[in-house]
C-alpha cells in the first residue's frame, strides 16, 4: 500500500512539474518575444556559434576565470543531466525498492560515474554555499559580490541540490545494506560507507526516493512559476544566450559600440530613419531586442560584474548586476500586459497596471523610474562587467542603448556634457579649441614632422593619428612628441593630418549622441580616404577602438595599430634600442579601451621591461581585471559627484606598489592618473618625485641616445 501511495504521489508531482515547467518555458519565450528583432548576424553561422557554445559551456571557459568556483560549478552543471538516471531509477524505486534501471544497472562504470559526479557536486555545492555565507553581505556589506542578489532564490537552489545529492547517497547506502547494490567498494566508497550505518529497510528506501522525486519536481514547479529566478533558470537559458552572443568569434561584446538598429534589426541609416517607427535607443523595456531580454533572464546574480565595476567599487549607485536584475523584473512584470495588447492607451485599466505600463525606464524615485539616472550616467564603459560575466550578458550595449534614448529623444543627460557636444559640433574637438592649434606641438620638436596637404607623401607607411588630447592637452602632447620622435629615430616614414584631423567621436558615441558621432566619423573617413591612408598609428586607445573597430561599419577600413604595439615591434627589430638605464620602480595601468576592449596587454609591458634598470611591479588589479581610471564612457567630460573618485581609488592601488613612475598608454588615463597623483602629493600622501607618463615617454628616455644618426637611412616597417 505504501508503495502504491508513493508511486501515485510522485507520478502526480512529475506530471504537474513537467506541465508547469513547460508552461513556464512558453511564457518565457513569449516574454522574450515582446522585444525587438536582433541583427541578422546573431542568427548566422550556426557551426561557429554552436562550437563556441559547446566550448564555453562544457569547457566552462569563462567560469574557470574564478578557478575553484569554476571547477565546483562544472561538477554541479554536469550533475544535472548525469543524475537524471537516478531520478528515473527513483521513479521505479517508489513502486519497488528493488527496482534497477535496465541494461546499465550493474555496469561498474555507471556506478562509478554516478558516485564521482554526485560526490564532487556535493563537495562543490557545500563549498559554494559556505562561500556565500562567509563572503556574503552580512560579512562584507557592499563589498560582497552577493550584495543586491535575491538571497532566498540562491538558498532555495542550494538547499535543493544538497538535498538531492544527499538523497542519492542515502538510497545507495540503503541498497548496500539490503545487499542489493551491484557495484564494488572501490568504485562506490561513499555509498558503501553509508551502507555500513544505514538500515536494510525497503520502506525507508522508497520514502527517500519519494522525497528525492518530490523535491526535484517541486524545483521544476518553482522555476515554472518564478520566471525571474535566474539563479535556477540559467542552466537552461545560458547556452542559448551564449549561442546568440554578439560576436561570432566567441569574444565578449566589447570593442566596437553596438550599432543602432532599425525596426527590422538592420543597421540604422539616419537619413532614412523614422523616429516614430525606428528605435533611437531604448526608452521602454520592450524596445530592447529579444536577446537583450534573454540577457536579463539569464543573469545568475553571481555578482562577478558588480565586484569588478569601478562605479560600484567607489560608492556609486551603479551595480551592473542590479541594473540587469531591475530590467529583468520590470520586463517580466510588464510583458504579460503587452502580450495581451494592453498599453497605457487602453481605456479603463487599473491604476496599478497603468503605473506599471507608463513607468519610465530611466527616471528618479519620484518619477518611479526603473533605472535611476545616476545609475545610467555612472558607467565608464570600462567593460569589466562584460569581461567577467560567465553567461555573456552585454551590459555595455544595454547601457548605451538607454543613454541613446535619453540623449537623442529626451535630451536628458548631465549638463556638463552639453559643452562637450557643442565643442565637438562646432570645433571638432572636446575642448572647443581652434583647429589650427592641432599643429602647435610640431613647433615644439626639433625634427621634421610631415603634415599631409592633400595626399600622404610618397612612401609614407603610417598616418600618425594624433587625436584631440594628443594635439591639445599638455600632458598628452608629451606622448605625441615622444612617439613622433621615436618614429623619427627608428626611421619610420609617417605623416600627420594636422588641422584636417577631427575628433573620432568616441566620447559622443559613448555618451549616446549617435548623430554627432556619425557626423564626425563620416568627416574623418572622408579625410582619411582622400589622403589615401591605409595604415594608421594612434596613441589614444579610444581613437584606436573607434577607427579600427567602428569606422569599418561606416566605410572606413584601415589597419590600425596602437603606438605601444608598433614601438614594441620596432624594439624587437632593433630599430629602437633602449640602452640608457632608467633606475625606477614602474607600475603599469592598463587602459580599458586598450586592454579589455582590444586585448592589447603585453606590448606596453614588453616596452617597460625592455628598459634597462626598470623594476616593474604589477598592481593587484591588472590586465583583464584592471581597474578603470574613470574617464571612459564620456565620463571624462562629466563631474564625478557621487562616492569616491575612481582615479583616486586607482592611484591608491598604484601607490601601493611604491612606484617612482606610473606608466600608461592612454592620454585620458594619463590625465586622470596624474590628477589623482597631484592631489595625493598636495596632501603629502604621495612622494613629490612620483611621475606619471606614457610608456612611449619612458622608452624615449632610454632609447634617445645613440639612435638618432641618419634615421632616414633605416628601412621602414
Ligand atoms: S562598463 Fe564598467 S562602469 Fe559600466 S557597468 Fe560595467 S563595470 Fe561598471
Ligand atoms: S550580469 Fe553576469 S556577472 Fe553579473 S551577476 Fe548576472 S550573471 Fe553574474
Amino acid at each position: 500500500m505504501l508503495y502504491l501511495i508513493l508511486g501515485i504521489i510522485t507520478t502526480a508531482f512529475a506530471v504537474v512539474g513537467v506541465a508547469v515547467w513547460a508552461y513556464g518555458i512558453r511564457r518565457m519565450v513569449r516574454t522574450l518575444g515582446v522585444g525587438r528583432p536582433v541583427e541578422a548576424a546573431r542568427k548566422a553561422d550556426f557551426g561557429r556559434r554552436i562550437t563556441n557554445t559547446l566550448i564555453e559551456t562544457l569547457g566552462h571557459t569563462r567560469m574557470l576565470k574564478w578557478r575553484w568556483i569554476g571547477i565546483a560549478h562544472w561538477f554541479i552543471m554536469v550533475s544535472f543531466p548525469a543524475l537524471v538516471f537516478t531520478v528515473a531509477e527513483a521513479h521505479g524505486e517508489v513502486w519497488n525498492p528493488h527496482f534497477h534501471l535496465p541494461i546499465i544497472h550493474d555496469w561498474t562504470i555507471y556506478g562509478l560515474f554516478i558516485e564521482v559526479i554526485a560526490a564532487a557536486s556535493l563537495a562543490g555545492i557545500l563549498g559554494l554555499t559556505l562561500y556565500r555565507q562567509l563572503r556574503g553581505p552580512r560579512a562584507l556589506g557592499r563589498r560582497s559580490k552577493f550584495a543586491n542578489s535575491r538571497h532566498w532564490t540562491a538558498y532555495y537552489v542550494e538547499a535543493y541540490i544538497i538535498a538531492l545529492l544527499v538523497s542519492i547517497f542515502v538510497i545507495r547506502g540503503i541498497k548496500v545494506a539490503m545487499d542489493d547494490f551491484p557495484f564494488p567498494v572501490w568504485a562506490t566508497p561513499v555509498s558503501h560507507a553509508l551502507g555500513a550505518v544505514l538500515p536494510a529497510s525497503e520502506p525507508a528506501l522508497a520514502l527517500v526516493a519519494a522525497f528525492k522525486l518530490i523535491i526535484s519536481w517541486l524545483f521544476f514547479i518553482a522555476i515554472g512559476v518564478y520566471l525571474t529566478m535566474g539563479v535556477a533558470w540559467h542552466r537552461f537559458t545560458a547556452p542559448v544566450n551564449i549561442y546568440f552572443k554578439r560576436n561570432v568569434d566567441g569574444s565578449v561584446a566589447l570593442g566596437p559600440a553596438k550599432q543602432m538598429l532599425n525596426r527590422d534589426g538592420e543597421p540604422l541609416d539616419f537619413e532614412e530613419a523614422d523616429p516614430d517607427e525606428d528605435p533611437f535607443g531604448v526608452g521602454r523595456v520592450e524596445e530592447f531586442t529579444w536577446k537583450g531580454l534573454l540577457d536579463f533572464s539569464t543573469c545568475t546574480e553571481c555578482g562577478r560584474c558588480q565586484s569588478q565595476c569601478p562605479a560600484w567599487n567607489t560608492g556609486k549607485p551603479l551595480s551592473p548586476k542590479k541594473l540587469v536584475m531591475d530590467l529583468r523584473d520590470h520586463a517580466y512584470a510588464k510583458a504579460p500586459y503587452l502580450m495581451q495588447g494592453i498599453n497605457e492607451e487602453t481605456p479603463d485599466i487599473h491604476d496599478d497596471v497603468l503605473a506599471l505600463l507608463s513607468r519610465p525606464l530611466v527616471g528618479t524615485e519620484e518619477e518611479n523610474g526603473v533605472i535611476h539616472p545616476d545609475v545610467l550616467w555612472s558607467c565608464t564603459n570600462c567593460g569589466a562587467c562584460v569581461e567577467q560575466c560567465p553567461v555573456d550578458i552585454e551590459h555595455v550595449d544595454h547601457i548605451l542603448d538607454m543613454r541613446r534614448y535619453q540623449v537623442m529623444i529626451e535630451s536628458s543627460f548631465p549638463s556638463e556634457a552639453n559643452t562637450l557636444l557643442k565643442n565637438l559640433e562646432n570645433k571638432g574637438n572636446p575642448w572647443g579649441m581652434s583647429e589650427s592649434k592641432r599643429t602647435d606641438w610640431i613647433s615644439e620638436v626639433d625634427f621634421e614632422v610631415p603634415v599631409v596637404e592633400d595626399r600622404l607623401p610618397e612612401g609614407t607607411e603610417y598616418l600618425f593619428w594624433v587625436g584631440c588630447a594628443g594635439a591639445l592637452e599638455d600632458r598628452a602632447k608629451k606622448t605625441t612628441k615622444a612617439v613622433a620622435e621615436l618614429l623619427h629615430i627608428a626611421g619610420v616614414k609617417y605623416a600627420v593630418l594636422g588641422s584636417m584631423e577631427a575628433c573620432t567621436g568616441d566620447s559622443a558615441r559613448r555618451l549616446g549622441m549617435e548623430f554627432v558621432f556619425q557626423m564626425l566619423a563620416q568627416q574623418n573617413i572622408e579625410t582619411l580616404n582622400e589622403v589615401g591612408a591605409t595604415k594608421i598609428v594612434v596613441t589614444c586607445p579610444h581613437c584606436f577602438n573607434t577607427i579600427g573597430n567602428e569606422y569599418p561599419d561606416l566605410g572606413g577600413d584601415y589597419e590600425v595599430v596602437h603606438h605601444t604595439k608598433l614601438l614594441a615591434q620596432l624594439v624587437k627589430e632593433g630599430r629602437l634600442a633602449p640602452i640608457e638605464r632608467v633606475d625606477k620602480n614602474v607600475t603599469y595601468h592598463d587602459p580599458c579601451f586598450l586592454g579589455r576592449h582590444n586585448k592589447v596587454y603585453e606590448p606596453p609591458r614588453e616596452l617597460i621591461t625592455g628598459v634597462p634598470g626598470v623594476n616593474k611591479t604589477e598592481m593587484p588589479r591588472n590586465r583583464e581585471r584592471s581597474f578603470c581610471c574613470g574617464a571612459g564612457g564620456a565620463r571624462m567630460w562629466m563631474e564625478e559627484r557621487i562616492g569616491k573618485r575612481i582615479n583616486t581609488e586607482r592611484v591608491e592601488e598604484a601607490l601601493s606598489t611604491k612606484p617612482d613612475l606610473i606608466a600608461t598608454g592612454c592620454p585620458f588615463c594619463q590625465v586622470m592618473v596624474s590628477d589623482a597623483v597631484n592631489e595625493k602629493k598636495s596632501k603629502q600622501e604621495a612622494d613629490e618625485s612620483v611621475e606619471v607618463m606614457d610608456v612611449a615617454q619612458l622608452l624615449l628616455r632610454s632609447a634617445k641616445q645613440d639612435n638618432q644618426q641618419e634615421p632616414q637611412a633605416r628601412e621602414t616597417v
Side-chain angles (χ1 to χ4, degrees):
M1 188 62 177
L2 172 70
Y3 305 136
L4 179 66
I5 293 170
L6 293 180
I8 291 171
I9 291 174
T10 52
T11 305
F13 266 97
V15 171
V16 176
V18 170
V20 174
W21 180 60
Y23 184 58
I25 291 177
R26 182 171 176 271
R27 282 166 52 223
M28 183 176 281
V29 170
R30 291 191 66 211
T31 301
L32 302 184
V34 307
R36 288 190 179 268
V38 293
E39 59 273 37
R42 291 200 195 250
K43 293 189 271 185
D45 231 331
F46 173 80
R48 286 174 78 192
R49 286 187 176 275
I50 199 74
T51 307
N52 289 337
T53 307
L54 291 174
I55 291 173
E56 204 173 314
T57 309
L58 299 180
H60 253 41
T61 46
R62 299 186 57 69
M63 278 300 294
L64 286 171
K65 288 178 176 202
W66 298 62
R67 192 62 65 180
W68 80 265
I69 294 178
I71 294 170
H73 189 272
W74 186 85
F75 278 105
I76 296 165
M77 177 196 74
V78 171
S79 75
F80 190 64
L83 300 181
V84 162
F85 291 106
T86 70
V87 173
E89 200 164 20
H91 270 292
E93 289 160 348
V94 290
W95 297 94
N96 169 13
H98 290 280
F99 175 83
H100 289 285
L101 287 178
I103 305 172
I104 60 172
H105 68 93
D106 59 353
W107 291 4
T108 301
I109 187 73
Y110 167 66
L112 174 67
F113 175 67
I114 297 295
E115 190 90 353
V116 169
I117 294 294
S121 302
L122 186 56
I125 191 69
L126 289 172
L128 293 179
T129 305
L130 192 63
Y131 178 74
R132 184 183 289 275
Q133 293 307 316
L134 296 178
R135 310 285 300 169
R138 269 198 306 267
L140 300 178
R142 185 184 169 95
R143 283 185 298 119
S144 166
K145 62 192 176 92
F146 302 115
N148 292 318
S149 294
R150 261 192 323 195
H151 300 292
W152 75 265
T153 53
Y155 292 152
Y156 171 66
V157 172
E158 286 165 355
Y160 159 61
I161 296 173
I162 292 170
L164 174 76
L165 294 167
V166 169
S167 309
I168 288 171
F169 280 117
V170 171
I171 291 170
R172 292 184 135 210
I174 295 174
K175 283 188 172 178
V176 171
M178 286 164 39
D179 202 17
D180 187 21
F181 195 64
F183 310 117
V185 177
W186 69 263
T188 53
V190 181
S191 304
H192 277 273
L194 281 172
V197 294
L198 289 171
S201 164
E202 292 179 358
L205 190 150
L207 282 167
V208 177
F211 170 75
K212 185 172 103 176
L213 290 173
I214 289 170
I215 59 169
S216 295
W217 292 119
L218 272 178
F219 176 78
F220 278 84
I221 292 169
I223 66 172
V225 172
Y226 294 106
L227 299 185
T228 56
M229 211 198 289
V231 67
W233 268 106
H234 78 274
R235 54 179 60 188
F236 306 105
T237 53
V240 186
N241 206 46
I242 293 167
Y243 179 88
F244 287 108
K245 70 198 290 186
R246 187 173 87 181
N247 298 335
V248 70
D249 64 1
S251 60
V252 294
L254 292 176
K258 180 191 172 209
Q259 275 190 289
M260 285 184 67
L261 304 177
N262 67 15
R263 75 203 89 153
D264 300 319
E266 290 157 4
L268 184 76
D269 178 346
F270 274 108
E271 284 177 10
E272 292 179 7
D274 175 356
D276 292 330
E277 292 289 331
D278 294 309
F280 277 39
V282 168
R284 297 155 181 261
V285 77
E286 62 271 26
E287 287 170 356
F288 285 108
T289 64
W290 62 257
K291 170 61 172 66
L293 300 180
L294 180 60
D295 269 4
F296 309 150
S297 312
T298 306
C299 176
T300 69
E301 302 179 23
C302 68
R304 285 175 181 77
C305 54
Q306 178 178 287
S307 73
Q308 305 294 306
C309 175
W312 181 255
N313 278 293
T314 52
K316 296 169 183 58
L318 165 62
S319 151
K321 170 172 71 174
K322 184 154 190 319
L323 177 130
V324 167
M325 289 168 62
D326 288 346
L327 291 171
R328 173 195 67 196
D329 293 347
H330 180 56
Y332 278 88
K334 193 174 180 185
Y337 299 101
L338 299 176
M339 287 187 277
Q340 294 172 54
I342 299 172
N343 58 37
E344 303 102 293
E345 314 295 319
T346 307
D348 302 329
I349 48 175
H350 191 279
D351 285 351
D352 291 348
V353 177
L354 182 61
L356 171 69
L357 294 175
S358 54
R359 206 176 162 194
L361 193 62
V362 176
T364 59
E365 287 94 352
E366 298 75 49
E367 294 162 341
N368 194 25
V370 179
I371 303 295
H372 195 284
D374 288 340
V375 169
L376 188 67
W377 296 108
S378 290
C379 178
T380 67
N381 278 214
C382 74
C385 47
V386 178
E387 180 69 46
Q388 289 301 327
C389 181
V391 291
D392 279 322
I393 289 170
E394 298 165 354
H395 315 67
V396 175
D397 290 355
H398 304 317
I399 288 170
L400 185 56
D401 268 337
M402 288 188 281
R403 283 187 173 188
R404 284 168 170 161
Y405 186 87
Q406 292 305 305
V407 173
M408 291 189 285
I409 302 295
E410 299 283 345
S411 288
S412 171
F413 52 90
S415 55
E416 315 89 85
N418 259 320
T419 315
L420 165 74
L421 292 175
K422 241 181 257 157
N423 289 339
L424 288 176
E425 282 181 75
N426 299 333
K427 298 286 183 182
N429 70 76
W431 286 277
M433 292 167 83
S434 152
E435 59 190 31
S436 63
K437 290 261 174 210
R438 283 187 178 272
T439 48
D440 280 3
W441 66 273
I442 296 175
S443 60
E444 296 162 19
V445 298
D446 56 5
F447 50 88
E448 192 202 342
V449 176
V451 181
V452 182
E453 282 174 9
D454 44 10
R455 298 280 298 172
L456 282 177
E458 193 69 26
T460 304
E461 184 152 19
Y462 284 97
L463 178 85
F464 178 13
W465 182 273
V466 176
C468 301
L472 303 169
E473 204 283 331
D474 285 342
R475 286 162 285 190
K477 270 162 75 176
K478 291 182 186 162
T479 306
T480 304
K481 288 186 267 185
V483 171
E485 189 165 357
L486 287 163
L487 295 178
H488 174 77
I489 291 170
V492 175
K493 285 205 159 192
Y494 72 95
V496 299
L497 285 174
S499 54
M500 281 200 279
E501 215 182 270
C503 175
T504 57
D506 167 80
S507 289
R509 187 169 224 198
R510 298 281 163 176
L511 181 75
M513 183 43 106
E514 188 76 6
F515 301 131
V516 174
F517 164 72
Q518 299 241 350
M519 179 193 83
L520 291 166
Q522 270 151 12
Q523 178 185 333
N524 283 325
I525 290 168
E526 224 168 85
T527 306
L528 289 167
N529 290 346
E530 269 172 24
V531 303
T534 52
K535 289 164 84 174
I536 301 173
V537 56
V538 295
T539 55
C540 173
H542 298 267
C543 299
F544 176 55
N545 186 58
T546 309
I547 303 174
N549 294 328
E550 298 180 350
Y551 281 11
D553 289 333
L554 300 167
D557 274 301
Y558 317 103
E559 188 185 323
V560 187
V561 62
H562 189 251
H563 71 284
T564 54
K565 205 168 175 183
L566 178 58
L567 295 177
Q569 184 191 335
L570 293 171
V571 170
K572 269 188 204 141
E573 290 171 357
R575 297 171 64 185
L576 286 173
I579 47 174
E580 287 295 308
R581 285 185 70 82
V582 179
D583 291 307
K584 288 194 182 291
N585 290 328
V586 178
T587 192
Y588 174 68
H589 164 75
D590 286 279
C592 302
F593 277 77
L594 186 62
R596 267 191 297 270
H597 280 273
N598 284 290
K599 310 292 172 251
V600 179
Y601 294 117
E602 296 314 317
R605 289 179 165 80
E606 287 166 14
L607 289 175
I608 293 169
T609 50
V611 173
V614 159
N615 173 32
K616 181 170 80 64
T617 308
E618 290 288 352
M619 285 186 243
R621 291 175 284 194
N622 61 70
R623 294 183 173 83
E624 64 181 30
R625 289 204 193 174
S626 175
F627 195 79
C628 182
C629 73
R635 289 287 328 166
M636 175 89 174
W637 317 104
M638 300 179 215
E639 295 296 331
E640 193 174 339
R641 297 190 182 89
I642 307 174
K644 183 180 181 180
R645 290 186 63 83
I646 293 174
N647 57 348
T648 304
E649 167 83 6
R650 184 55 165 167
V651 160
E652 284 170 2
E653 187 176 356
L655 293 176
S656 74
T657 67
K658 306 268 179 274
D660 302 309
L661 196 161
I662 304 171
T664 188
C666 168
F668 284 12
C669 296
Q670 198 177 351
V671 168
M672 298 302 275
V673 172
S674 58
D675 279 354
V677 166
N678 289 340
E679 192 198 337
K680 288 280 171 194
K681 285 180 182 173
S682 70
K683 294 179 180 167
Q684 272 95 47
E685 291 171 8
D687 203 289
E688 274 302 322
S689 61
V690 175
E691 294 178 277
V692 179
M693 64 173 66
D694 190 277
V695 175
Q697 291 171 266
L698 172 64
L699 177 65
L700 184 63
R701 272 194 197 177
S702 180
K704 198 167 179 178
Q705 311 297 318
D706 303 328
N707 284 285
Q708 297 162 326
Q709 308 305 313
E710 301 176 54
Q712 299 306 322
R714 298 170 192 275
E715 285 180 18
T716 54
V717 177

